[in-house]
Amino acid sequence: MKSAVIQLPGLNRDRDMIAALTKISGKAPVTVWQTETELPDVDLIVIPGGFSYGDYLRCGAIGARMPVMKAVAEKAAKGVMVMGVCNGFQILLEAGLLPGALMRNASLKFVCREVKLEVANANTAFTRGYAPGEIIRCPVAHHDGNYFADPGTLSRIEGEGQVVFRYAEGTNPNGSVNDIAGIIGEGGNVLGMMPHPENLIEAAHGGSDGRALFEGLLGKAA
Amino acid sequence: MIKARIIVTLKNGVLDPQGKAIEGALGGLGFSGVGSVRQGKVFDVELQDSDRAKAEAALKEMCERLLANTVIEDYSIAIT
């Protein structure tokens, strides 16, 4: 699987993502700086977590308007797999590649802890490595992960199975509506999620629950 | 030169935890009777253009494309 990791000033989880992709796919991803207007021919594009542009204006708002995001949108429209984690999810929403918005955590506090996730839809390229309804562990670290969508959008994404991960067992860390932790776009090839699967892929992380996400993708795009 | 003030606020029905926290703090300071507080953003923008109609159109586009996230926010533009 060939992959690319997008880099913007202020993103700081790119190294974790690069390490995870390298370890699991056996191939180091290409890194692409924000000013690039074209992307290499890859199977998967990842926007990692962090604090692009210092979270100025709104989380991900400025990053989403950088030239590279136009190229990401073009690739997404062609069916290339795109995944945004944490700030990457915020950027995908701000870029209009996924519906809804992420707001300040209901607690107003930055949360950095482990949560439980329910695989709400295992029938996607990103979640095929899990069983339907499986509960997995996953770390979160964010200040603005409180997913919101207007009632019409919410019922549409719920009805279409676009909610793929939900916080489970009372671990919703941010007040997110319907415990939403991750969603996919209508085409099924764009995923945004607040938790960090790349930080739970090997024994040294204390578990490998996040690994199946990447391995599932690998099966799809190998 | 044209000066404008843009106010961005959360839409009705969108929960505002920061506004809620401020509301609680005001109560703590002894301000009674505060019904609710909603937090927003103010942008003061100076435009080199002096054509008011063009400025208004440009400001609206700025709001739509960057200053406001219209999924959750409303905006108003006042040219001063």
Side-chain angles (χ1 to χ4, degrees):
Chain A
M1 180 178 67
K2 286 184 286 182
S3 59
V5 171
I6 306 296
Q7 293 184 310
L8 293 134
L11 288 182
N12 61 1
R13 308 298 277 268
D14 46 339
R15 284 176 185 231
D16 295 9
M17 189 58 79
I18 291 165
L21 289 168
T22 307
K23 283 176 183 176
I24 298 170
S25 75
K27 208 183 242 176
V30 184
T31 56
V32 183
W33 185 239
Q34 58 168 353
T35 48
E36 295 295 326
T37 52
E38 273 179 50
L39 284 160
D41 194 15
V42 293
D43 309 300
L44 171 71
I45 300 162
V46 183
I47 311 173
F51 304 86
S52 60
Y53 287 88
D55 284 347
Y56 294 166
L57 187 61
R58 298 175 304 274
C59 295
I62 297 179
R65 273 85 183 167
M66 289 300 122
V68 75
M69 286 309 297
K70 212 171 170 182
V72 171
E74 283 164 12
K75 289 282 189 188
K78 285 182 188 152
V80 175
M81 296 290 164
V82 176
M83 174 179 168
V85 170
C86 201
N87 196 207
F89 185 14
Q90 294 162 341
I91 290 170
L92 288 174
L93 291 164
E94 280 283 346
L97 290 174
L98 288 172
L102 285 158
M103 308 194 38
R104 182 56 47 98
N105 293 346
S107 64
L108 298 177
K109 291 191 171 71
F110 189 96
V111 289
C112 183
R113 68 169 83 120
E114 186 176 291
V115 297
K116 296 278 179 62
L117 294 180
E118 179 203 340
V119 180
N121 182 355
N123 191 25
T124 78
F126 300 96
T127 52
R128 60 198 341 231
Y130 298 104
E134 186 175 345
I135 306 285
I136 61 166
R137 297 162 52 206
C138 204
V140 294
H142 60 252
H143 207 164
D144 298 74
N146 187 349
Y147 183 79
F148 173 89
D150 64 78
T153 304
L154 198 58
S155 74
R156 196 182 75 237
I157 64 170
E158 288 282 2
E160 297 293 322
Q162 287 176 248
V163 176
V164 296
F165 291 112
R166 269 185 232 281
Y167 301 110
E169 298 177 4
T171 60
N172 183 339
N174 51 39
S176 185
V177 65
N178 292 9
D179 295 322
I180 290 171
I183 60 171
I184 53 168
E186 276 173 36
N189 64 314
V190 180
L191 167 76
M193 63 188 295
M194 284 315 293
H196 289 274
E198 76 279 14
N199 289 139
L200 203 64
I201 60 148
E202 58 191 358
H205 288 158
S208 57
D209 291 26
R211 203 176 171 95
L213 189 154
F214 297 97
E215 285 172 345
L217 271 177
L218 208 59
K220 164 90 183 172
Chain B
M1 192 175 69
I2 285 176
K3 289 186 180 183
R5 173 161 282 187
I6 292 164
I7 297 178
V8 175
T9 50
L10 284 173
K11 286 187 175 173
N12 287 335
V14 175
L15 190 71
D16 178 13
Q18 293 173 102
K20 278 271 169 226
I22 294 163
E23 187 185 315
L26 286 173
L29 286 173
F31 291 101
S32 59
V34 176
S36 78
V37 178
R38 306 276 286 167
Q39 182 178 306
K41 295 183 186 122
V42 170
F43 303 89
D44 285 326
V45 182
E46 290 183 2
L47 295 174
Q48 277 159 355
D49 213 325
S50 56
D51 182 327
R52 211 181 152 92
K54 259 167 71 184
E56 252 174 81
L59 289 161
K60 188 167 188 298
E61 200 182 340
M62 289 175 202
C63 288
E64 290 285 338
R65 291 183 56 194
L66 180 63
L67 299 180
N69 178 344
T70 54
V71 175
I72 47 170
E73 293 170 328
D74 288 325
Y75 61 86
S76 65
I77 300 165
I79 294 180
T80 53

